[in-house]
Amino acid sequence: MKKTLILPAEIHSREFDARLLQGVLALERGWRVIVGSKALINRSIWRLPSSLYLCQTLTHKRLPMLKLLKSLGHVSYGWDEEGLVSLDRGIYLMRRVSTDSLGRLAGLVAWGNNNASDLDQRAQGVGLKARPLGNPRFDLLRPELRGLYGQEVEAIRKAHGEFVLINTNFPSINPVISLHDLGPRALSAVNTPKSGEPARFSEFLEHRSRIYEYFKRDLPQYARENPDLKFIVRPHPAENAATWTGLFQGLPNVQVIREGASIPWLIAAKALIHNGCTTAVEASLLGHTAIAYGPEVSLERESALPNPISHRVANIGELGVTTRTALRNELQMGAEQRAILEHYVSGITGPLASDAILDFCEELIAKQPARSPLGALPSRVIGAFRHGYKYLRRDHITDRYLAKVFPTLGEDAVSRRAGEIAAVLKLPYGVQAKQISRNVFELSAGARR
């Protein structure tokens, strides 16, 4: 099998730079690389070359796609893009990890030791062991790669000056478009929820709903009482931003903005306020300590990562004092918090996670036997009909969601961004993107510099 790597991304602002980083490094190793929207890559998969395919979700819902991939001659490896910030192991496995889906993978990658331990509870049943290699998204926070965002950071600071960033993370409660119900997801017979797990998940949702109400009630008041501070509210990509725009309407020191990736906003901000948000982890990797706002603390109903590595505050008075401390660059992470971070996140120092994952990809591809393309013909016909059906349907909820989280890109924009990544990596060539179909691109190395 020719070395082809397919790297889908679901949410453009969250994942696409990381896929380009991994892809650019793969070009250097001689891989053929295809990147783009996960939904649109999956629709076109019937006509793409056999590959090592990145599956970024491990739920039972992925099973039909993984079966199709295998029948088409692709080999899948994967990780859980949502596996870093999760609840206790039982609820995490109930919601996010299917043994049937794991059984279709050739390899499994984890964010760090904690995620690897969780995944291994099910992976060992299908002969896999999760590798705690990290995630390319966090490579972009490393000092050697932050220069990629230099122009964006400068533009943000020029436009907004000194500001406090408020990141909200309530997509289940305030969705832009709801794709899932909030009960236990479809599971295989071997992964039925254990007693008490659905009830505990319901308690988590109730807790998140209360935190959401505290944010809605308290943060507009806090902004109103601190007119000398500038606030940027950045909703989660899957949240309804209009909710926050309405709540902060009439406050001249607040703007609700959701454009671009989170990293340049985190670098440009002087302080970060959140609750249960992955951006707190990103901030800590950038050398900042985030502020977790929440009048209600429930350790059994929240993730063990974002809030514990943040400075917790329970009311507006504490929030004011702590924010002013952060603005003076005096809010520090303790040794115990650092140890928590290192337990959950691999690849903070040393080789890039992208390189470690590509080493793993080389191992996986070397084990694959040659396949005849003729054997995949029936599956290609099925895939073509599937593609046609999804192309012709109108106003489907998935297509409306896709329009919200992955804008239409052109060859020039993808080539430019991939070239910027190659330049920051000091690679001796540029990168060209050739469009295969809408939001699906093949990367190739350009002329050597």
Side-chain angles (χ1 to χ4, degrees), residues 182-242:
L182 297 179
R185 297 190 179 164
L187 299 168
S188 65
V190 296
N191 291 154
T192 54
K194 295 180 181 178
S195 175
E197 287 175 353
R200 289 209 311 279
F201 182 68
S202 295
E203 291 172 0
F204 157 74
L205 287 176
E206 291 170 3
H207 174 69
R208 289 302 293 168
S209 294
R210 290 192 292 273
I211 296 297
Y212 172 62
E213 294 300 327
Y214 291 133
F215 265 58
K216 289 166 61 181
R217 182 194 72 185
D218 295 346
L219 293 186
Q221 179 183 342
Y222 175 61
R224 193 174 295 111
E225 293 176 357
N226 291 270
D228 61 314
L229 296 181
K230 172 71 177 287
F231 297 93
I232 302 293
V233 178
R234 185 178 169 84
H236 186 282
E239 268 196 85
N240 183 0

Side-chain angles (χ1 to χ4, degrees), residues 374-395:
L374 296 177
L377 279 177
S379 296
R380 292 192 186 280
V381 172
I382 292 170
F385 276 107
R386 174 179 175 273
H387 186 183
Y389 164 73
K390 294 196 173 187
Y391 177 79
L392 292 173
R393 70 189 183 187
R394 292 290 181 267
D395 199 35

Side-chain angles (χ1 to χ4, degrees), residues 26-38:
L27 289 177
E28 193 177 22
R29 297 172 179 237
W31 289 80
R32 179 183 187 179
V33 177
I34 295 171
V35 299
S37 159
K38 181 180 81 171

Side-chain angles (χ1 to χ4, degrees), residues 55 192 230 240 265 286 300 340 355 377 379 389 420:
C55 180
T192 54
K230 172 71 177 287
N240 183 0
W265 291 95
L286 290 168
E300 68 276 13
I340 293 172
D355 276 321
L377 279 177
S379 296
Y389 164 73
E420 290 168 351

Side-chain angles (χ1 to χ4, degrees), residues 22 54-55 58 77-81 83 92 102 105-112 115-116 119 128-136 346 353 356-358 360-361 364:
Q22 192 178 1
L54 169 62
C55 180
L58 307 174
Y77 77 107
W79 60 64
D80 180 9
E81 203 71 48
Y92 169 64
L102 291 179
L105 300 180
L108 184 60
V109 176
W111 286 86
N115 185 221
L119 292 173
L128 290 179
K129 186 170 180 59
R131 300 275 192 102
L133 303 177
N135 190 290
S346 295
I357 292 168
L358 287 171
F360 186 38
C361 290
L364 296 175

Side-chain angles (χ1 to χ4, degrees), residues 21-299:
L21 170 63
Q22 192 178 1
V24 167
L25 288 170
L27 289 177
E28 193 177 22
R29 297 172 179 237
W31 289 80
R32 179 183 187 179
V33 177
I34 295 171
V35 299
S37 159
K38 181 180 81 171
L40 298 180
I41 283 176
N42 288 350
R43 292 180 193 181
S44 298
I45 197 67
W46 61 276
R47 60 192 183 94
L48 297 180
S50 297
S51 72
L52 186 62
Y53 173 99
L54 169 62
C55 180
Q56 64 183 75
T57 53
L58 307 174
T59 66
H60 196 66
K61 186 180 178 182
R62 289 298 98 203
L63 185 58
M65 188 65 206
L66 287 167
K67 288 180 177 179
L68 177 61
L69 286 163
K70 185 173 182 179
S71 69
L72 288 168
H74 299 270
V75 177
S76 301
Y77 77 107
W79 60 64
D80 180 9
E81 203 71 48
E82 306 284 352
L84 180 66
V85 176
S86 62
L87 291 172
D88 67 69
R89 176 175 290 170
I91 293 178
Y92 169 64
L93 294 177
M94 178 188 76
R95 293 283 297 170
R96 300 292 311 171
V97 186
S98 162
T99 299
D100 287 339
S101 293
L102 291 179
R104 268 67 181 183
L105 300 180
L108 184 60
V109 176
W111 286 86
N113 291 324
N114 186 79
N115 185 221
S117 179
D118 287 346
L119 292 173
D120 281 344
Q121 295 298 303
R122 293 212 167 139
Q124 61 187 353
V126 295
L128 290 179
K129 186 170 180 59
R131 300 275 192 102
L133 303 177
N135 190 290
R137 280 167 54 188
F138 283 0
D139 285 342
L140 296 165
L141 301 165
R142 298 269 293 254
E144 59 266 41
L145 286 170
R146 290 176 202 168
L148 177 65
Y149 299 97
Q151 291 185 351
E152 293 170 78
V153 171
E154 183 179 352
I156 291 170
R157 286 175 173 163
K158 184 176 180 180
H160 302 289
E162 187 174 281
F163 65 90
V164 176
L165 186 64
I166 300 174
N167 272 358
T168 67
N169 182 33
F170 304 100
S172 296
I173 302 152
N174 178 40
V176 60
I177 293 174
S178 181
L179 290 183
H180 312 290
D181 67 41
L182 297 179
R185 297 190 179 164
L187 299 168
S188 65
V190 296
N191 291 154
T192 54
K194 295 180 181 178
S195 175
E197 287 175 353
R200 289 209 311 279
F201 182 68
S202 295
E203 291 172 0
F204 157 74
L205 287 176
E206 291 170 3
H207 174 69
R208 289 302 293 168
S209 294
R210 290 192 292 273
I211 296 297
Y212 172 62
E213 294 300 327
Y214 291 133
F215 265 58
K216 289 166 61 181
R217 182 194 72 185
D218 295 346
L219 293 186
Q221 179 183 342
Y222 175 61
R224 193 174 295 111
E225 293 176 357
N226 291 270
D228 61 314
L229 296 181
K230 172 71 177 287
F231 297 93
I232 302 293
V233 178
R234 185 178 169 84
H236 186 282
E239 268 196 85
N240 183 0
T243 301
W244 301 104
T245 301
L247 286 166
F248 289 98
Q249 190 172 8
L251 293 174
N253 60 331
V254 182
Q255 286 184 264
V256 178
I257 301 174
R258 185 174 57 198
E259 55 187 44
S262 64
I263 295 175
W265 291 95
L266 287 168
I267 296 172
K270 297 296 289 184
L272 169 66
I273 298 170
H274 78 103
N275 187 292
C277 188
T278 305
T279 52
V281 185
E282 295 174 320
S284 69
L285 295 172
L286 290 168
H288 308 304
T289 303
I291 302 166
Y293 182 71
E296 177 182 324
V297 175
S298 180
L299 297 180

